[in-house]
PDB file of all heavy atoms in Angstrom:
ATOM      1  N   MET U   1      15.068   5.136   0.427  1.00 95.00           N
ATOM      2  CA  MET U   1      16.356   5.449   1.054  1.00 95.00           C
ATOM      3  C   MET U   1      16.861   6.788   0.541  1.00 95.00           C
ATOM      4  O   MET U   1      17.075   6.946  -0.653  1.00 95.00           O
ATOM      5  CB  MET U   1      17.350   4.330   0.721  1.00 95.00           C
ATOM      6  CG  MET U   1      18.688   4.484   1.385  1.00 95.00           C
ATOM      7  SD  MET U   1      18.577   4.252   3.202  1.00 95.00           S
ATOM      8  CE  MET U   1      20.125   5.009   3.678  1.00 95.00           C
ATOM      9  N   PRO U   2      17.064   7.748   1.424  1.00 97.00           N
ATOM     10  CA  PRO U   2      17.565   9.048   0.969  1.00 97.00           C
ATOM     11  C   PRO U   2      18.927   8.921   0.297  1.00 97.00           C
ATOM     12  O   PRO U   2      19.709   8.021   0.631  1.00 97.00           O
ATOM     13  CB  PRO U   2      17.660   9.858   2.272  1.00 97.00           C
ATOM     14  CG  PRO U   2      16.702   9.198   3.209  1.00 97.00           C
ATOM     15  CD  PRO U   2      16.753   7.734   2.843  1.00 97.00           C
ATOM     16  N   PRO U   3      19.225   9.809  -0.623  1.00 97.00           N
ATOM     17  CA  PRO U   3      20.512   9.748  -1.318  1.00 97.00           C
ATOM     18  C   PRO U   3      21.638  10.335  -0.474  1.00 97.00           C
ATOM     19  O   PRO U   3      21.405  11.100   0.464  1.00 97.00           O
ATOM     20  CB  PRO U   3      20.265  10.617  -2.553  1.00 97.00           C
ATOM     21  CG  PRO U   3      19.252  11.621  -2.108  1.00 97.00           C
ATOM     22  CD  PRO U   3      18.372  10.909  -1.100  1.00 97.00           C
ATOM     23  N   GLY U  49      19.532   7.070  -3.830  1.00 94.00           N
ATOM     24  CA  GLY U  49      18.099   7.324  -3.755  1.00 94.00           C
ATOM     25  C   GLY U  49      17.298   6.216  -4.428  1.00 94.00           C
ATOM     26  O   GLY U  49      16.099   6.088  -4.195  1.00 94.00           O
ATOM     27  N   ALA U  50      17.950   5.407  -5.246  1.00 92.00           N
ATOM     28  CA  ALA U  50      17.269   4.258  -5.871  1.00 92.00           C
ATOM     29  C   ALA U  50      17.209   3.106  -4.865  1.00 92.00           C
ATOM     30  O   ALA U  50      17.897   3.108  -3.846  1.00 92.00           O
ATOM     31  CB  ALA U  50      18.020   3.827  -7.127  1.00 92.00           C
ATOM     32  N   ARG U 119      22.430  10.793  10.592  1.00 97.00           N
ATOM     33  CA  ARG U 119      21.661  11.994  10.253  1.00 97.00           C
ATOM     34  C   ARG U 119      20.729  12.447  11.361  1.00 97.00           C
ATOM     35  O   ARG U 119      20.262  13.574  11.340  1.00 97.00           O
ATOM     36  CB  ARG U 119      20.858  11.748   8.974  1.00 97.00           C
ATOM     37  CG  ARG U 119      21.764  11.474   7.789  1.00 97.00           C
ATOM     38  CD  ARG U 119      21.095  11.814   6.491  1.00 97.00           C
ATOM     39  NE  ARG U 119      22.048  11.635   5.403  1.00 97.00           N
ATOM     40  CZ  ARG U 119      21.719  11.539   4.123  1.00 97.00           C
ATOM     41  NH1 ARG U 119      20.439  11.598   3.780  1.00 97.00           N
ATOM     42  NH2 ARG U 119      22.638  11.389   3.191  1.00 97.00           N
ATOM     43  N   PRO U 197      -1.142   9.026  14.159  1.00 95.00           N
ATOM     44  CA  PRO U 197      -2.104   9.025  15.263  1.00 95.00           C
ATOM     45  C   PRO U 197      -3.115   7.875  15.298  1.00 95.00           C
ATOM     46  O   PRO U 197      -3.658   7.592  16.340  1.00 95.00           O
ATOM     47  CB  PRO U 197      -2.832  10.358  15.075  1.00 95.00           C
ATOM     48  CG  PRO U 197      -2.698  10.667  13.630  1.00 95.00           C
ATOM     49  CD  PRO U 197      -1.384  10.091  13.200  1.00 95.00           C
ATOM     50  N   MET U 324      10.598   8.329  10.339  1.00 98.00           N
ATOM     51  CA  MET U 324      11.382   9.558  10.195  1.00 98.00           C
ATOM     52  C   MET U 324      11.057  10.194   8.844  1.00 98.00           C
ATOM     53  O   MET U 324      10.805  11.409   8.757  1.00 98.00           O
ATOM     54  CB  MET U 324      12.872   9.207  10.314  1.00 98.00           C
ATOM     55  CG  MET U 324      13.822  10.356  10.057  1.00 98.00           C
ATOM     56  SD  MET U 324      14.232  10.563   8.295  1.00 98.00           S
ATOM     57  CE  MET U 324      15.213   9.080   7.995  1.00 98.00           C
ATOM     58  N   LEU U 325      11.044   9.375   7.792  1.00 98.00           N
ATOM     59  CA  LEU U 325      10.729   9.918   6.458  1.00 98.00           C
ATOM     60  C   LEU U 325       9.321  10.514   6.439  1.00 98.00           C
ATOM     61  O   LEU U 325       9.094  11.593   5.876  1.00 98.00           O
ATOM     62  CB  LEU U 325      10.835   8.816   5.401  1.00 98.00           C
ATOM     63  CG  LEU U 325      12.240   8.257   5.138  1.00 98.00           C
ATOM     64  CD1 LEU U 325      12.173   7.095   4.157  1.00 98.00           C
ATOM     65  CD2 LEU U 325      13.171   9.330   4.591  1.00 98.00           C
ATOM     66  N   ARG U 326       8.382   9.828   7.038  1.00 97.00           N
ATOM     67  CA  ARG U 326       7.004  10.344   7.051  1.00 97.00           C
ATOM     68  C   ARG U 326       6.932  11.672   7.789  1.00 97.00           C
ATOM     69  O   ARG U 326       6.181  12.567   7.394  1.00 97.00           O
ATOM     70  CB  ARG U 326       6.061   9.320   7.701  1.00 97.00           C
ATOM     71  CG  ARG U 326       5.913   8.078   6.848  1.00 97.00           C
ATOM     72  CD  ARG U 326       5.042   7.022   7.511  1.00 97.00           C
ATOM     73  NE  ARG U 326       3.636   7.358   7.448  1.00 97.00           N
ATOM     74  CZ  ARG U 326       2.646   6.480   7.566  1.00 97.00           C
ATOM     75  NH1 ARG U 326       2.932   5.198   7.721  1.00 97.00           N
ATOM     76  NH2 ARG U 326       1.392   6.835   7.508  1.00 97.00           N
ATOM     77  N   GLN U 328       9.396  13.832   8.126  1.00 97.00           N
ATOM     78  CA  GLN U 328      10.056  14.867   7.326  1.00 97.00           C
ATOM     79  C   GLN U 328       9.147  15.373   6.215  1.00 97.00           C
ATOM     80  O   GLN U 328       9.230  16.521   5.797  1.00 97.00           O
ATOM     81  CB  GLN U 328      11.351  14.331   6.727  1.00 97.00           C
ATOM     82  CG  GLN U 328      12.412  14.124   7.767  1.00 97.00           C
ATOM     83  CD  GLN U 328      13.812  14.101   7.201  1.00 97.00           C
ATOM     84  OE1 GLN U 328      14.741  14.477   7.872  1.00 97.00           O
ATOM     85  NE2 GLN U 328      13.969  13.652   5.974  1.00 97.00           N
ATOM     86  N   ALA U 329       8.289  14.495   5.725  1.00 97.00           N
ATOM     87  CA  ALA U 329       7.392  14.895   4.629  1.00 97.00           C
ATOM     88  C   ALA U 329       6.472  16.040   5.044  1.00 97.00           C
ATOM     89  O   ALA U 329       6.026  16.820   4.209  1.00 97.00           O
ATOM     90  CB  ALA U 329       6.561  13.700   4.175  1.00 97.00           C
ATOM     91  N   LEU U 330       6.185  16.136   6.339  1.00 92.00           N
ATOM     92  CA  LEU U 330       5.225  17.152   6.802  1.00 92.00           C
ATOM     93  C   LEU U 330       5.837  18.541   6.875  1.00 92.00           C
ATOM     94  O   LEU U 330       5.104  19.535   6.978  1.00 92.00           O
ATOM     95  CB  LEU U 330       4.689  16.793   8.182  1.00 92.00           C
ATOM     96  CG  LEU U 330       3.851  15.528   8.281  1.00 92.00           C
ATOM     97  CD1 LEU U 330       3.249  15.432   9.670  1.00 92.00           C
ATOM     98  CD2 LEU U 330       2.738  15.531   7.240  1.00 92.00           C
ATOM     99  N   ARG U 331       7.141  18.612   6.891  1.00 78.00           N
ATOM    100  CA  ARG U 331       7.759  19.920   7.086  1.00 78.00           C
ATOM    101  C   ARG U 331       7.616  20.817   5.862  1.00 78.00           C
ATOM    102  O   ARG U 331       7.779  20.369   4.765  1.00 78.00           O
ATOM    103  CB  ARG U 331       9.262  19.740   7.413  1.00 78.00           C
ATOM    104  CG  ARG U 331       9.491  18.958   8.687  1.00 78.00           C
ATOM    105  CD  ARG U 331       8.833  19.682   9.858  1.00 78.00           C
ATOM    106  NE  ARG U 331       8.541  18.790  10.968  1.00 78.00           N
ATOM    107  CZ  ARG U 331       9.387  18.537  11.974  1.00 78.00           C
ATOM    108  NH1 ARG U 331      10.563  19.072  12.002  1.00 78.00           N
ATOM    109  NH2 ARG U 331       9.027  17.746  12.952  1.00 78.00           N
TER     110      ARG U 331
ATOM    111  N   MET W   1      -2.148  14.946   5.141  1.00 95.00           N
ATOM    112  CA  MET W   1      -2.254  16.408   4.983  1.00 95.00           C
ATOM    113  C   MET W   1      -1.422  17.111   6.050  1.00 95.00           C
ATOM    114  O   MET W   1      -1.654  16.898   7.243  1.00 95.00           O
ATOM    115  CB  MET W   1      -3.729  16.790   5.105  1.00 95.00           C
ATOM    116  CG  MET W   1      -4.001  18.258   4.885  1.00 95.00           C
ATOM    117  SD  MET W   1      -3.720  18.754   3.154  1.00 95.00           S
ATOM    118  CE  MET W   1      -3.654  20.530   3.372  1.00 95.00           C
ATOM    119  N   PRO W   2      -0.469  17.924   5.653  1.00 97.00           N
ATOM    120  CA  PRO W   2       0.338  18.641   6.656  1.00 97.00           C
ATOM    121  C   PRO W   2      -0.533  19.538   7.527  1.00 97.00           C
ATOM    122  O   PRO W   2      -1.577  20.039   7.081  1.00 97.00           O
ATOM    123  CB  PRO W   2       1.304  19.469   5.798  1.00 97.00           C
ATOM    124  CG  PRO W   2       1.369  18.760   4.489  1.00 97.00           C
ATOM    125  CD  PRO W   2       0.002  18.165   4.293  1.00 97.00           C
ATOM    126  N   PRO W   3      -0.111  19.754   8.759  1.00 97.00           N
ATOM    127  CA  PRO W   3      -0.898  20.589   9.667  1.00 97.00           C
ATOM    128  C   PRO W   3      -0.681  22.072   9.406  1.00 97.00           C
ATOM    129  O   PRO W   3       0.305  22.471   8.793  1.00 97.00           O
ATOM    130  CB  PRO W   3      -0.333  20.220  11.040  1.00 97.00           C
ATOM    131  CG  PRO W   3       1.087  19.845  10.763  1.00 97.00           C
ATOM    132  CD  PRO W   3       1.093  19.210   9.403  1.00 97.00           C
ATOM    133  N   GLY W  49      -3.383  17.884  10.728  1.00 94.00           N
ATOM    134  CA  GLY W  49      -2.520  16.756  10.407  1.00 94.00           C
ATOM    135  C   GLY W  49      -3.291  15.448  10.397  1.00 94.00           C
ATOM    136  O   GLY W  49      -2.824  14.451   9.856  1.00 94.00           O
ATOM    137  N   ALA W  50      -4.465  15.439  10.994  1.00 92.00           N
ATOM    138  CA  ALA W  50      -5.308  14.239  10.962  1.00 92.00           C
ATOM    139  C   ALA W  50      -6.039  14.168   9.616  1.00 92.00           C
ATOM    140  O   ALA W  50      -6.111  15.144   8.864  1.00 92.00           O
ATOM    141  CB  ALA W  50      -6.317  14.280  12.107  1.00 92.00           C
ATOM    142  N   ARG W 119       1.986  27.004  -0.205  1.00 97.00           N
ATOM    143  CA  ARG W 119       3.286  26.614   0.360  1.00 97.00           C
ATOM    144  C   ARG W 119       4.348  26.366  -0.695  1.00 97.00           C
ATOM    145  O   ARG W 119       5.527  26.324  -0.381  1.00 97.00           O
ATOM    146  CB  ARG W 119       3.124  25.363   1.234  1.00 97.00           C
ATOM    147  CG  ARG W 119       2.205  25.607   2.419  1.00 97.00           C
ATOM    148  CD  ARG W 119       2.495  24.701   3.566  1.00 97.00           C
ATOM    149  NE  ARG W 119       1.659  25.053   4.706  1.00 97.00           N
ATOM    150  CZ  ARG W 119       1.427  24.259   5.738  1.00 97.00           C
ATOM    151  NH1 ARG W 119       1.975  23.056   5.779  1.00 97.00           N
ATOM    152  NH2 ARG W 119       0.669  24.655   6.745  1.00 97.00           N
ATOM    153  N   PRO W 197      11.680   7.291  -9.675  1.00 95.00           N
ATOM    154  CA  PRO W 197      12.367   6.855 -10.896  1.00 95.00           C
ATOM    155  C   PRO W 197      11.816   5.612 -11.585  1.00 95.00           C
ATOM    156  O   PRO W 197      12.056   5.433 -12.769  1.00 95.00           O
ATOM    157  CB  PRO W 197      13.790   6.605 -10.405  1.00 95.00           C
ATOM    158  CG  PRO W 197      13.664   6.311  -8.963  1.00 95.00           C
ATOM    159  CD  PRO W 197      12.472   7.089  -8.473  1.00 95.00           C
ATOM    160  N   MET W 324       5.003  15.806  -3.712  1.00 98.00           N
ATOM    161  CA  MET W 324       5.681  16.850  -2.934  1.00 98.00           C
ATOM    162  C   MET W 324       6.062  16.292  -1.564  1.00 98.00           C
ATOM    163  O   MET W 324       7.193  16.451  -1.091  1.00 98.00           O
ATOM    164  CB  MET W 324       4.763  18.066  -2.817  1.00 98.00           C
ATOM    165  CG  MET W 324       5.284  19.175  -1.938  1.00 98.00           C
ATOM    166  SD  MET W 324       4.856  18.945  -0.178  1.00 98.00           S
ATOM    167  CE  MET W 324       3.082  19.217  -0.228  1.00 98.00           C
ATOM    168  N   LEU W 325       5.121  15.608  -0.913  1.00 98.00           N
ATOM    169  CA  LEU W 325       5.407  15.021   0.404  1.00 98.00           C
ATOM    170  C   LEU W 325       6.541  13.999   0.311  1.00 98.00           C
ATOM    171  O   LEU W 325       7.443  13.971   1.155  1.00 98.00           O
ATOM    172  CB  LEU W 325       4.151  14.353   0.973  1.00 98.00           C
ATOM    173  CG  LEU W 325       2.996  15.286   1.339  1.00 98.00           C
ATOM    174  CD1 LEU W 325       1.777  14.475   1.779  1.00 98.00           C
ATOM    175  CD2 LEU W 325       3.388  16.257   2.450  1.00 98.00           C
ATOM    176  N   ARG W 326       6.491  13.179  -0.721  1.00 97.00           N
ATOM    177  CA  ARG W 326       7.539  12.166  -0.866  1.00 97.00           C
ATOM    178  C   ARG W 326       8.903  12.831  -1.054  1.00 97.00           C
ATOM    179  O   ARG W 326       9.920  12.343  -0.554  1.00 97.00           O
ATOM    180  CB  ARG W 326       7.226  11.241  -2.049  1.00 97.00           C
ATOM    181  CG  ARG W 326       6.014  10.366  -1.785  1.00 97.00           C
ATOM    182  CD  ARG W 326       5.639   9.510  -2.968  1.00 97.00           C
ATOM    183  NE  ARG W 326       6.552   8.367  -3.109  1.00 97.00           N
ATOM    184  CZ  ARG W 326       6.253   7.265  -3.778  1.00 97.00           C
ATOM    185  NH1 ARG W 326       5.066   7.136  -4.359  1.00 97.00           N
ATOM    186  NH2 ARG W 326       7.109   6.285  -3.881  1.00 97.00           N
ATOM    187  N   GLN W 328       9.781  15.819   0.016  1.00 97.00           N
ATOM    188  CA  GLN W 328      10.185  16.438   1.283  1.00 97.00           C
ATOM    189  C   GLN W 328      10.751  15.407   2.253  1.00 97.00           C
ATOM    190  O   GLN W 328      11.619  15.724   3.062  1.00 97.00           O
ATOM    191  CB  GLN W 328       9.003  17.158   1.931  1.00 97.00           C
ATOM    192  CG  GLN W 328       8.626  18.415   1.188  1.00 97.00           C
ATOM    193  CD  GLN W 328       7.825  19.387   2.026  1.00 97.00           C
ATOM    194  OE1 GLN W 328       7.902  20.582   1.805  1.00 97.00           O
ATOM    195  NE2 GLN W 328       7.055  18.899   2.979  1.00 97.00           N
ATOM    196  N   ALA W 329      10.258  14.188   2.168  1.00 97.00           N
ATOM    197  CA  ALA W 329      10.739  13.139   3.079  1.00 97.00           C
ATOM    198  C   ALA W 329      12.233  12.890   2.909  1.00 97.00           C
ATOM    199  O   ALA W 329      12.908  12.462   3.842  1.00 97.00           O
ATOM    200  CB  ALA W 329       9.965  11.844   2.857  1.00 97.00           C
ATOM    201  N   LEU W 330      12.759  13.146   1.720  1.00 92.00           N
ATOM    202  CA  LEU W 330      14.168  12.835   1.452  1.00 92.00           C
ATOM    203  C   LEU W 330      15.116  13.865   2.039  1.00 92.00           C
ATOM    204  O   LEU W 330      16.318  13.606   2.132  1.00 92.00           O
ATOM    205  CB  LEU W 330      14.417  12.767  -0.056  1.00 92.00           C
ATOM    206  CG  LEU W 330      13.729  11.654  -0.820  1.00 92.00           C
ATOM    207  CD1 LEU W 330      14.250  11.625  -2.243  1.00 92.00           C
ATOM    208  CD2 LEU W 330      13.968  10.314  -0.157  1.00 92.00           C
ATOM    209  N   ARG W 331      14.617  15.032   2.363  1.00 78.00           N
ATOM    210  CA  ARG W 331      15.518  16.093   2.836  1.00 78.00           C
ATOM    211  C   ARG W 331      16.096  15.781   4.203  1.00 78.00           C
ATOM    212  O   ARG W 331      15.404  15.347   5.074  1.00 78.00           O
ATOM    213  CB  ARG W 331      14.744  17.443   2.892  1.00 78.00           C
ATOM    214  CG  ARG W 331      14.225  17.866   1.552  1.00 78.00           C
ATOM    215  CD  ARG W 331      15.365  18.020   0.553  1.00 78.00           C
ATOM    216  NE  ARG W 331      14.904  17.925  -0.839  1.00 78.00           N
ATOM    217  CZ  ARG W 331      14.508  18.976  -1.569  1.00 78.00           C
ATOM    218  NH1 ARG W 331      14.481  20.167  -1.081  1.00 78.00           N
ATOM    219  NH2 ARG W 331      14.161  18.803  -2.827  1.00 78.00           N
TER     220      ARG W 331
END
Side-chain angles (χ1 to χ4, degrees):
Chain U
M1 184 68 198
R119 298 205 175 163
M324 175 273 291
L325 293 175
R326 292 177 76 159
Q328 289 202 150
L330 295 188
R331 298 301 157 90
Chain W
M1 183 69 196
R119 298 206 175 162
M324 175 273 291
L325 293 175
R326 292 176 76 159
Q328 289 200 151
L330 294 188
R331 299 301 158 90

